[in-house]
Amino acid sequence: MRISHFLLATLKENPADAEVISHQLMLRAGMVRRLAAGLYTWLPLGLRVLRKVENIVRDEMDKSGAQEILMPAVQPAELWQESGRWDQYGPELLRFKDRHDREFCYGPTHEEIITNLIRNEIRSYKQLPINLYQIQTKFRDEIRPRFGIMRGREFLMKDSYSFHLEQSSLDETYELMYKTYSNIFNRLGLKFRAVLADNGNIGGSRSHEFHVLAESGEDAIAYSTTGDYAANVEVFEDGVKAGDPSPDGKSVLDIARGIEVGHIFQLGDKYAKAMGASVLDEDGKSATLIMGCYGIGVSRLVAATIEQNHDKNGIIWPESIAPFSVALLPMNMHKSQRVREAAEDLYNKLQAVGVDVLFDDRKERPGVMFANAELIGIPHRIVIGERGLDKSEVEYKGRLDEKSQNISIDRIIDFIIG
Ligand code: ATP
Ligand code: MG
């Protein structure tokens, strides 16, 4: 991509209303722009990252054997009345009427819709277990949207739903999702922790949240200082505190801050029973299904990754989700034909081997080019200048390297893709 053809919307100043570092950097790097409270437009730079996160999530879900579907965002009230949640769900549920005066909501989650689908499509135990997922926009009228896309009102979620006849089968899929989530967060290079969780207004019995550890996290996690025990402090009725004994009886608790990026639940028969989702079992008798549901905050993950990966100069993207892999910065290309030719040549060659390269072909001062490349967090930087070309060399610097190094122009591509 040539910057001259790209909407690079970087800001020099820190936006005054952005409290956490990821929100500041997403605005400064030109990844998103606010439209209204909790509503954001994704600019080209931000969308490239969001799509990469989405594709890692999709890839790991597919590998787990789950199948992708896409359900409507707008949902009829009747299904929510059947499950009983039309009256239980508070003002977070955005409700509205169509032209025929029928009631609808914009989906904050999709248990009712999937249960309706399954009760119509699945007839026999032989079709089970099944795990269906979607990656889709949700709306929750959050009382306090904040921290940019971290707590938006409209946000991108991966939600999946599994259906079973036997508890042992639900346990198996639950474990598989636990592993799949760990794979996803590892591929994103995140430091995370799975913790026991409260079930909130979704119901059910067993659940774990996945938290990205960060000071700015809205949740407090109590963890055993020597054992494996970890839980959201919400699970303790009387709150809990550092120094309290750990429920595993092995040690004392300490408290860390976390950003919830994923949540897996065993829902049991709550929705299937209320909505009459059953199949014929091996003996030909009708049996009510049991269900698990599994969410990932895809857009929130972008912000959470920044919370863990930044320095004073900007974002430090992990290779797996960087908007571009290489920043190609020619020095005074508009005056030097030789620099221009070498830069154009390297740009074409990098693209030919499939490297996402951002070519700074603007008439900008070197300082501006360097600052922009660091701010938007590109993992590799290649500088081409007259002096280097005298020795057939370019200057290379990794985003985390302290110093740059000179590399022969013939070797640079292998060095990058190596
Ligand atoms: P929270 O406790 O943060 O409000 P939740 O428990 O209500 O989240 P879930 O119903 O478990 O959320 O939704 C699945 C995932 O969707 C969450 O783990 C989180 O990563 C993401 N998510 C939830 N609410 C928001 C939001 N307002 N903005 C962005 N992502 C969100
Ligand atoms: Mg949750």
Side-chain angles (χ1 to χ4, degrees):
M1 181 66 67
R2 291 167 192 275
I3 293 199
S4 60
H5 296 176
F6 189 75
L7 179 57
L8 188 74
T10 52
L11 306 173
K12 283 208 188 69
E13 303 296 326
N14 235 349
D17 54 343
E19 297 163 68
V20 294
I21 193 76
S22 58
H23 188 193
Q24 291 168 8
L25 286 173
M26 288 185 79
L27 290 170
R28 275 188 57 204
M31 292 177 66
V32 292
R33 286 292 181 263
R34 182 181 182 274
L35 174 67
L39 302 180
Y40 285 82
T41 297
W42 288 80
L43 299 181
L45 189 77
L47 191 62
R48 291 178 78 94
V49 178
L50 185 67
R51 290 283 179 256
K52 288 191 179 182
V53 174
E54 188 181 322
N55 285 334
I56 288 175
V57 172
R58 178 174 285 116
D59 186 49
E60 292 295 330
M61 287 303 295
D62 288 345
K63 275 190 206 154
S64 80
Q67 302 171 66
E68 187 169 4
I69 57 171
L70 185 59
M71 294 180 270
V74 173
Q75 310 184 1
E78 287 79 18
L79 292 178
W80 285 70
Q81 282 151 356
E82 267 191 69
S83 73
R85 282 209 293 184
W86 188 253
D87 295 325
Q88 287 161 12
Y89 221 97
E92 265 188 29
L93 189 65
L94 180 66
R95 302 159 207 248
F96 45 87
K97 287 183 178 167
D98 72 2
R99 63 169 76 199
H100 306 293
D101 224 27
R102 290 187 194 112
E103 286 187 297
F104 287 86
C105 64
Y106 196 107
T109 178
H110 277 69
E111 283 78 15
E112 282 81 0
I113 311 307
I114 193 84
T115 305
N116 176 62
L117 180 82
I118 292 293
R119 73 178 166 186
N120 291 328
E121 301 302 325
I122 303 289
R123 296 268 160 253
S124 156
Y125 72 96
K126 289 184 192 150
Q127 294 168 283
L128 299 174
I130 189 166
N131 192 5
L132 299 172
Y133 78 96
Q134 64 175 347
I135 297 174
Q136 191 226 27
T137 300
K138 301 284 189 265
F139 190 94
R140 294 180 183 182
D141 203 352
E142 298 275 356
I143 187 164
R144 209 170 155 215
R146 59 178 185 159
F147 302 161
I149 54 126
M150 189 101 85
R151 182 167 296 283
R153 291 197 294 170
E154 196 179 293
F155 59 96
L156 194 64
M157 195 201 285
K158 186 287 297 177
D159 45 328
S160 43
Y161 307 89
S162 70
F163 291 85
H164 317 259
L165 263 188
E166 311 283 346
Q167 178 63 36
S168 57
S169 167
L170 173 55
D171 286 340
E172 236 171 73
T173 300
Y174 188 85
E175 287 309 317
L176 183 60
M177 284 298 102
Y178 191 107
K179 281 201 197 101
T180 299
Y181 277 34
S182 303
N183 293 344
I184 290 168
F185 303 136
N186 280 327
R187 277 178 70 175
L188 297 172
L190 293 166
K191 290 188 271 304
F192 67 94
R193 184 125 195 197
V195 310
L196 289 169
D198 194 36
N199 283 331
N201 61 12
I202 207 163
S205 54
R206 188 155 182 243
S207 98
H208 283 90
E209 286 169 0
F210 288 78
H211 283 266
V212 164
L213 304 173
E215 271 311 306
S216 58
E218 289 184 290
D219 287 84
I221 297 160
Y223 66 97
S224 151
T225 47
T226 54
D228 287 337
Y229 184 86
N232 193 315
V233 293
E234 285 170 9
V235 306
F236 301 100
E237 264 169 33
D238 49 352
V240 181
K241 299 182 294 304
D244 282 0
S246 167
D248 65 6
K250 287 191 189 139
S251 62
V252 290
L253 295 174
D254 205 349
I255 306 287
R257 309 298 304 178
I259 300 167
E260 183 192 321
V261 290
H263 199 161
I264 58 178
F265 299 88
Q266 294 202 2
L267 293 169
D269 64 2
K270 175 177 162 156
Y271 294 90
K273 207 166 156 189
M275 297 178 65
S278 56
V279 296
L280 295 178
D281 67 12
E282 254 173 305
D283 305 323
K285 279 201 246 107
S286 173
T288 302
L289 295 175
I290 54 173
M291 177 178 177
C293 79
Y294 320 91
I296 287 186
V298 176
S299 47
R300 182 180 284 181
L301 269 172
V302 175
T305 305
I306 296 174
E307 290 292 328
Q308 276 190 352
N309 298 280
H310 64 269
D311 62 13
K312 65 178 185 344
N313 297 328
I315 303 167
I316 304 168
W317 288 116
E319 194 82 47
S320 58
I321 56 168
F324 296 96
S325 176
V326 172
L328 181 60
L329 311 183
M331 300 293 104
N332 294 315
M333 172 176 97
H334 297 273
K335 288 190 192 132
S336 164
Q337 184 64 17
R338 191 157 70 122
V339 169
R340 174 188 290 276
E341 276 169 17
E344 291 279 356
D345 186 53
L346 189 54
Y347 175 57
N348 289 331
K349 285 181 176 152
L350 282 166
Q351 281 192 312
V353 294
V355 174
D356 266 344
V357 41
L358 186 64
F359 180 18
D360 199 338
D361 59 345
R362 297 173 297 176
K363 233 179 189 162
E364 274 292 359
R365 285 181 294 116
V368 172
M369 291 185 180
F370 291 153
N372 282 169
E374 295 214 309
L375 173 62
I376 66 181
I378 302 184
H380 307 283
R381 182 182 91 185
I382 301 173
V383 175
I384 300 187
E386 284 277 358
R387 235 183 300 155
L389 287 180
D390 287 343
K391 290 182 272 175
S392 299
E393 282 176 350
V394 295
E395 189 192 286
Y396 169 85
K397 186 174 170 299
R399 178 66 180 78
L400 280 171
D401 297 347
E402 285 205 347
K403 281 196 193 135
S404 60
Q405 52 180 308
N406 294 327
I407 294 183
S408 129
I409 201 159
D410 299 330
R411 266 203 333 116
I412 186 68
I413 292 179
D414 284 339
F415 180 83
I416 298 275
I417 62 180

